[in-house]
Amino acid sequence: MTQYLYLVRHGEQLDAEHGVTDGPLSPRGRRQAALLAERLGGVPLTNAWHAPSTVATQTADIVRERLPSVDPKPSALLFDCVPSGPTPEVPRAFSGWFASATDAEIEAGRAQMADAFAEFLSPGGQERHDLLITHNLVIAEFIRHAFDAPAWRWLGLTQAHCGLTVLKARTGRPITLVSHNDLAHLPVELRTGLVEPLPV
């Protein structure tokens, strides 16, 4: 059978630009989450999970408030992480990215994502529509995994806050990327979290 996996980056965090690693949603982030919930209103969601971080939990709470049939549960497999480490194949432009990541953090991230694939990408039985509210690098690694790309290729994949990425998994077939970073539910002024601003 078919599984649809809806991957969402949390809403914008308050004061993230000041180096705060986790915190509450900004007012703009709350609006992003509300519009995401409206977008998901027509999806027959089967299950929902969120990273236990404050910003992902608050995003999930707003989705729950507006979609009472959806009850997102926390999962440590969705915490932000570094999915792999530097190798000779990593382009020089990305090499500095690993400067602040320790070997232990990289190994923990690699193990976490292997468990996340086993837990959340599991087609079979009845058709499923599962929602994951998580972090930028986790979504990037799911996409890299879907294409069986080189281990470093999550680098360069950036998701906007409350952007919607959809994977389609079917038993015995390659995973399909249905959409990536879909922002149709967000007006331009709410499209945050990208490396470069989108043209108006």
Side-chain angles (χ1 to χ4, degrees):
M1 295 297 288
T2 303
Q3 176 193 19
Y4 292 90
L5 195 62
Y6 301 81
L7 298 161
V8 172
R9 185 182 182 186
H10 58 78
E12 181 187 67
Q13 179 186 319
L14 185 66
D15 292 333
E17 67 271 19
H18 300 305
V20 179
T21 56
D22 187 25
L25 291 173
S26 68
R28 187 159 52 175
R30 298 188 67 81
R31 291 174 61 201
Q32 292 165 342
L35 290 171
L36 168 70
E38 288 184 18
R39 177 72 182 277
L40 295 171
V43 177
L45 291 173
T46 312
N47 302 289
W49 294 272
H50 64 88
S53 58
T54 301
V55 72
T57 299
Q58 290 188 351
T59 302
D61 287 343
I62 291 171
V63 170
R64 183 187 289 111
E65 289 167 7
R66 286 160 176 76
L67 300 175
S69 63
V70 179
D71 185 22
K73 295 177 172 52
S75 172
L77 297 177
L78 299 176
F79 267 126
D80 209 3
C81 67
V82 181
S84 67
T87 64
E89 294 78 27
V90 174
R92 184 174 299 173
F94 290 134
S95 60
W97 202 95
F98 299 99
S100 62
T102 67
D103 290 343
E105 288 170 336
I106 291 168
E107 184 53 40
R110 185 181 290 114
Q112 172 189 318
M113 290 309 305
D115 289 345
F117 300 146
E119 179 73 16
F120 299 121
L121 273 175
S122 52
Q126 297 182 339
E127 181 171 296
R128 290 167 46 195
H129 296 261
D130 297 336
L131 171 66
L132 305 183
I133 299 172
T134 182
H135 294 267
N136 184 36
L137 301 185
V138 173
I139 297 171
E141 176 63 359
F142 266 100
I143 296 168
R144 184 215 62 78
H145 175 76
F147 285 102
D148 196 23
W152 62 270
R153 202 59 191 93
W154 53 272
L155 287 161
L157 290 170
T158 303
Q159 283 63 232
H161 294 118
C162 286
L164 180 61
T165 292
V166 183
L167 298 178
K168 180 179 180 181
R170 290 174 288 180
T171 304
R173 299 188 185 185
I175 300 169
T176 302
L177 180 64
V178 177
S179 66
H180 174 243
N181 202 35
D182 185 347
L183 302 177
H185 51 290
L186 299 178
V188 172
E189 65 271 16
L190 293 185
R191 296 179 183 181
T192 63
L194 294 172
V195 176
E196 297 178 4
L198 293 177
V200 178

